[in-house]
C-alpha cells in the first residue's frame, strides 16, 4: 500500500540520517581518518605500541600504592591507576579517600616518574583533579552522566572513558562525543565487559567491540581485563585475546595484598602474580 | 574435603551477611514494617489510593505544558511532569530548557494547582530545584550517579527514583538507600523497564519487580509505562497490568502534538488518547 | 551519496518484505482477523472466558496426580497438566516417567473429567501421545526444535507452545507458523519469562508480550506464572497482572507436597496455597 | 536467628552438592585431568595444534561445495563443513537439501580427502548420518534438545556441540554430559556467541568461555567466528583473539559467491577473502 511505502521511505530516511549523524561525529574516523595519539605528559597512547595501566582498585595508604608503583616501574611501565572516589553499590561500603587519595597517587607517581590516572565522579571535582592527575577516568556507572562528560570535555587533561554496564557501542561512541564536542579530543575508550545473563564471569567481555571502535572512531581503545572478567584466573587469557585483537592497551588491578583490599578483593593480582602476568604477555 | 567445607562455610557466612545487610537498610520493610506515605505538598502517594503522573517528555513552551495541565486537571488528577534537563544519547539532540523549563513548569503547576515533578541531573542543581519543584526525579541514566543520590538525600523534597537501564533490583534498593542514608526518606521507586535482547519493545517491563519492591521495602512503587514499552499501543495494557499487580501509581507521557515533540515523539499520548486512556483505566 | 541511497532503499525494501512476510503468515491477524478458539475436546480456549491449567511439574505417582486433580475439579476447572518427559539441565536429574506418566495422567483425567496436557520432546513420540493427551505441549527448550514443531503441525491435537528461553517475539511467532504451516492451527501460545541479567526471579516475565501477540496473531495467549517467576510468592501477583492485561489463561504448577517434589520444588504451590490463589483470583 | 542459620547451612550444602556434582561429571577435568584428543578419522583435534573447519553455510550444489573444498585443500587443511538440515527461523526459508546434501558433502570430501561435518536436527537421522559424515554437529538451537543429545551419545562418531543461543556455561557443560553419559566422549565444544542487548554484532562472542571450558573440562574447544559476530569484517579479528586465548580450532563459513547464498549471505567469506584470512592468521 502507498501509505505503507511512505512509512518505509520515512524509516529509511531516518536511518540514513542516523548513519550520516554517526559519520559527522567528531570522534568518527570518517571525520578524521588517522589515529588519535593521546599524549599523557610524554607517554603516548594509540600509536603502534601497546600500553598497560596497573594499580590498586582503591588507594588505601601511601605504602600500599608505593609498593605497587615500584613493581610497575620495575617492569619499565609508565602508567599507574588507583581509585580515590569509589562508586560503590552500597552507601555503607568504603567510598574511597577522596582528595587525600589523589594526593597519595600524585606523590607516588612523582617519586617513581609514573603518570597517574583516577576516576572522578562529580562534575565539581574535575577542576580540582587537574592538580593531581595526568588522566581523568570516567567510570562505567557514569558513562551516561552527561554533566560529568561535558565537564570532562572542558578539561585539558586526557580522559579515560569506560563503557557503561549495559551501554551499546553506539551509546558509548556518543558518550565520547559529549566530551569531544566540548573541545577535548584526548580520549581513550575502554571496553570493560557488558552485563548479560551469564554468571560465570562478573561481566561478559565484548571482545569484538575493540575492532568495531577502532574502525568507527579514531580514538585509542583499551580493555579492562579485571572488571570484564572479575576472575583472577581469566586476567591473562583475556589480556592475550585483547592484545591479539589489536587494543592500544590493557588495564588491570594490582594490590600488594588483595585479600585485605577494601574493594574488589576477589579479582586483583598480587605482585608476584602481576610479575608472571607480564612475563607471559611479553 | 575440609578445605572445601571451610570455603563453603565462608560463602554461606558472606551470603548471610549480605541478607542481613539488606534487612538493616533504612529502606527495608524489616526495619520499618508499615508503608511509607510520601506527602507531596498535600498529595499523598503510597496509601491505598493509586496515583497518576502525566505530562510531556520535555517542557517546550508555556502553552504546550498549559494544554497538558488543563487536560490533567479535567481528570481530577494532581501531578504534572515535564523534563527540563534532558539526558540524551547524542550531545546534538535537544538538551532541554534547563532552569527556564523549571520556571514554566512551576507557573503552570500553580495556575492549575498541580504538584510538579522534573528530573535533575547535576548535583549542583538540586538546591536550585527547590524553588521550582515539588518532587525531584532521578532518572534511569543517573541511578548509579551516587553523588547526585547523596545530594538528593540532603534535600527536603520527595525524590522520584527510577531504576537504572540494567540495574538489578538489589542495586535499585541500594540506590534508594544512598538517598535515605543522608536523611531523606520521602522516596518513590519507579520501575521503567530493563534492557534485554528483545527489540519488540524499547525496554522489557519487569512487572514482578513491583511486588518484590513492595515486599522488601516500605516505599511506594510506580511504573513508568511510557519508557518501559516505548510504544503507544502498549501504554494502556501495561497500565492495567501494573495497577492489578499493586503499584502505587503510574507515570506516562502526554503531549499536545507528539509528532512535533522535541523528544520521544514515538511514544507520547496526545490529549484525546490520554482521555480515553483514563476512561479505560477507571 | 547515490551508492549509499541505493543501500538504504535496499534495506527499506528488505524491511518491507519482512513486515509483509509477517502479515502473510497463517498465524497473523492480518490473514485472519477473528480470534482462534482452540477446542480441547469441548473446553474452549481463546473466547472471552479466561482459563486455567494446573498440575504438578512432574507426574510422579497416580496418587499424587489424583490429589491435585481433585483439588482442580473442586474449583470447577477443566484442565490438568503434568510432565512425563522432563527436559532437565543435568542428565542425572529425574527425567520423568515417560509413557507411564502419560498413562497416569490419562487415567486421572478420565476419572475426574479433566482434559490433560503434557510435554512431548521427541518427534517420534507425538503420535504415541495421541492416545493419552488432549493437548500436546512444546516446551521452552524445544521452541527452536523445528522437527518437533513440524511433527506437531501434522498432529490433530491442539498444541500448547511455550516461548523459548531467550526467543524474540518474532521468533516465537515463526515457531507457531512452523506448526500451522503443516496444517494444525489449534495452537495456544504461552509466555513463560525470558532470560535476562536479573537474578531476583528465575526469568523475567515479559508481560507486554501478551498484548503484542494478541495484536499480531489470532491465537490464544497464556502466561505460565510458575516458570516466569520461579518464586511461590510471586505467582498470585503475576497472575493478577496477566489477567488484567488480557491473557486467555494462566498456567501454574500445583503439587501435594512441593518439598518432596522430584523437580521444581521451590516454586510449586501446595493445595491450600492453590485454593487461596483461586480465592484471590476470582 | 537459628532458623535463618539453618537455611543458610542448607543453601551452602546445596551449593556444595552442585559443585561436587560438576566435579563428578564425566566431562570434568577433575575426573580426567589430561586433554581429550578427538580423532576424526586420523585428523586430531585437541592436541597442541590449532585446527580449522571451513565450508558453506548450506550445501547448495556439488559444484559450490567442490569449489570451496579445493580452496580448503589448497591451504593444506583437513576439515570441511556444510549444512544439509538447516534450522531456520521461518518455515518458508530454505530448509536445506537433507540427505541429498549429506551425499554431496561426502562425495566432495572423498574427492579432496577432507573430513566432513554437518548438523543433524532429528534424533532419527543420527544413524543415517553415519554413512555420510565424519563429525555430527549439534547446533545452537538444539543444545537443549536432550533427545538429540542422547542419540548423539549413542553414536560412534565425534560430536561437534555448539553452545545454545543463551545457554550458560554450566548448561553447556551439562549438555555435553548428556552425550558423554551415553558412552560417547569424542566431543568438541564450540562457543558461537551469546544473545545480549547489543545489536552491533549478531551475537556477543563470549571469548572468556574458552579458558573456562578448557579449565573445567578435558574437551577441545572451538570458536565459530561467523555466527558469533555475523559480520565479515570481524571474522579475522575474532579469530586472532580466539587463537590467542587458546582455542583448539576455529570454524568459519566460506562460500564461492556469498551474495547469492541461500542462507547467511551477509557473513560468509568468498574464496579470495578466505585466502587472505588464512594468510593473516598464519
Amino acid at each position: 500500500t502507498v501509505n505503507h511505502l511512505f512509512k518505509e521511505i520515512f524509516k529509511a530516511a531516518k536511518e540514513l540520517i542516523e548513519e550520516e549523524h554517526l559519520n559527522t561525529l567528531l570522534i568518527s574516523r570518517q571525520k578524521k581518518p588517522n589515529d588519535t595519539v593521546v599524549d599523557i605528559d610524554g607517554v603516548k597512547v594509540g600509536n603502534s605500541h601497546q600500553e598497560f595501566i596497573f594499580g590498586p582498585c582503591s588507594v588505601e595508604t601511601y605504602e600500599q600504592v608505593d609498593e605497587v608503583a615500584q613493581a610497575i616501574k620495575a617492569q619499565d611501565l609508565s602508567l599507574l591507576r588507583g581509585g580515590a572516589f569509589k562508586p560503590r553499590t552500597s552507601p555503607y561500603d568504603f567510598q574511597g579517600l577522596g582528595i587525600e587519595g589523589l594526593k597519595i597517587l600524585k606523590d607516588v607517581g612523582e617519586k617513581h616518574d609514573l603518570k597517574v590516572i583516577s576516576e572522578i565522579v562529580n562534575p565539581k571535582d574535575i577542576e580540582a583533579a587537574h592538580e593531581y592527575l595526568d588522566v581523568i577516568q570516567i567510570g562505567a556507572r557514569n558513562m551516561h552522566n552527561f554533566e560529568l562528560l561535558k565537564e570532562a570535555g572542558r578539561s585539558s587533561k586526557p580522559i579515560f572513558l569506560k563503557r557503561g554496564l549495559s551501554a551499546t557501542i553506539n551509546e558509548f561512541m556518543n558518550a565520547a562525543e559529549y566530551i569531544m564536542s566540548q573541545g577535548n579530543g584526548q580520549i581513550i575508550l575502554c571496553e570493560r565487559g557488558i552485563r548479560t545473563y551469564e554468571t560465570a564471569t562478573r561481566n561478559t567481555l565484548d571482545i569484538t567491540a575493540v575492532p568495531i571502535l577502532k574502525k568507527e572512531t579514531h580514538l585509542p581503545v583499551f580493555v579492562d581485563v579485571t572488571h570484564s572478567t572479575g576472575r583472577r584466573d581469566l586476567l591473562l587469557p583475556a589480556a592475550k585475546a585483547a592484545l591479539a585483537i589489536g587494543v592500544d592497551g590493557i588495564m588491570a588491578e594490582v594490590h600488594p595484598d588483595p585479600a585485605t583490599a577494601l574493594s574488589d578483593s576477589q579479582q586483583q593480582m598480587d605482585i608476584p602474580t602481576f610479575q608472571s602476568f607480564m612475563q607471559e604477555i611479553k
Side-chain angles (χ1 to χ4, degrees), chain A:
Chain A
T1 69
V2 175
N3 193 18
H4 186 83
L5 261 167
F6 272 112
K7 211 176 103 192
E8 289 305 315
I9 287 165
F10 175 77
K11 263 166 68 182
K14 204 176 139 226
E15 277 174 20
L16 184 64
I17 289 162
E18 274 167 20
E19 196 169 322
E20 299 257 305
H21 167 72
L22 190 61
N23 290 343
T24 60
L25 294 184
L26 299 171
I27 59 153
S28 167
R29 200 174 275 282
Q30 297 286 329
K31 195 81 174 186
K32 171 173 175 293
N34 58 315
D35 289 344
T36 287
V37 176
V38 173
D39 185 335
I40 306 173
D41 200 12
V43 178
K44 302 282 181 13
V45 165
N47 56 14
S48 56
H49 182 69
Q50 292 178 314
E51 271 296 337
F52 294 88
I53 301 174
F54 291 107
C57 181
S58 297
V59 171
E60 296 165 10
T61 65
Y62 181 91
E63 291 68 28
Q64 169 229 25
V65 182
D66 187 50
E67 197 174 339
V68 176
Q70 276 181 51
I72 290 171
K73 196 66 193 176
Q75 296 288 337
D76 245 337
L77 299 173
S78 312
L79 301 168
L80 172 68
R81 60 148 285 143
F85 297 97
K86 300 298 303 173
R88 304 300 299 278
T89 299
S90 163
Y92 308 122
D93 285 341
F94 176 59
Q95 305 274 315
L97 299 181
I99 294 290
E100 192 51 43
L102 297 186
K103 278 182 194 159
I104 291 173
L105 203 60
K106 181 189 165 77
D107 290 350
V108 174
E110 284 178 352
K111 178 176 166 192
H112 298 281
D113 189 28
L114 296 170
K115 307 306 162 196
V116 297
I117 167 170
S118 196
E119 180 171 358
I120 297 299
V121 295
N122 196 323
K124 78 172 170 54
D125 293 329
I126 292 271
E127 220 174 291
H130 277 223
E131 199 178 325
Y132 306 106
L133 297 177
D134 300 298
V135 182
I136 292 167
Q137 177 177 314
I138 309 286
R141 280 170 186 73
N142 282 308
M143 194 210 82
H144 274 130
N145 182 345
F146 300 124
E147 296 302 303
L148 187 62
L149 296 174
K150 285 179 199 166
E151 199 62 38
R154 289 187 281 265
S155 159
S156 59
K157 296 282 182 180
I159 308 298
F160 189 85
L161 176 66
K162 288 198 171 180
R163 183 178 182 181
L165 292 182
S166 68
T168 62
I169 291 173
N170 188 56
E171 290 171 343
F172 189 21
M173 292 192 291
N174 272 288
E177 186 72 11
Y178 263 95
I179 298 169
M180 195 158 178
S181 70
Q182 301 295 317
N184 187 355
Q186 293 278 295
I187 304 165
I188 301 166
L189 302 174
C190 182
E191 158 65 26
R192 46 76 73 206
I194 59 173
R195 188 164 272 190
T196 71
Y197 69 84
E198 175 62 71
T199 56
T201 42
R202 179 161 158 180
N203 290 289
T204 297
L205 171 56
D206 182 8
I207 193 79
T208 58
V210 177
I212 295 173
L213 291 167
K214 295 294 294 178
K215 183 183 179 184
E216 299 289 341
T217 82
H218 49 76
L219 301 172
V221 180
F222 269 54
V223 163
D224 171 351
V225 293
T226 303
H227 291 92
S228 51
T229 65
R231 283 171 55 158
R232 216 173 278 129
D233 63 332
L234 296 178
L235 300 178
L236 183 60
K240 285 180 179 174
L243 293 169
I245 213 168
V247 286
D248 295 291
I250 297 286
M251 175 180 266
E253 290 180 358
V254 177
H255 190 286
D257 183 11
T260 67
L262 296 176
S263 56
D264 276 2
S265 64
Q266 298 296 310
Q267 62 195 38
Q268 303 192 56
M269 288 184 268
D270 61 16
I271 287 169
T273 307
F274 161 64
Q275 288 161 339
S276 61
F277 176 95
M278 287 309 297
Q279 196 75 16
E280 287 274 352
I281 285 294
K282 279 172 186 169

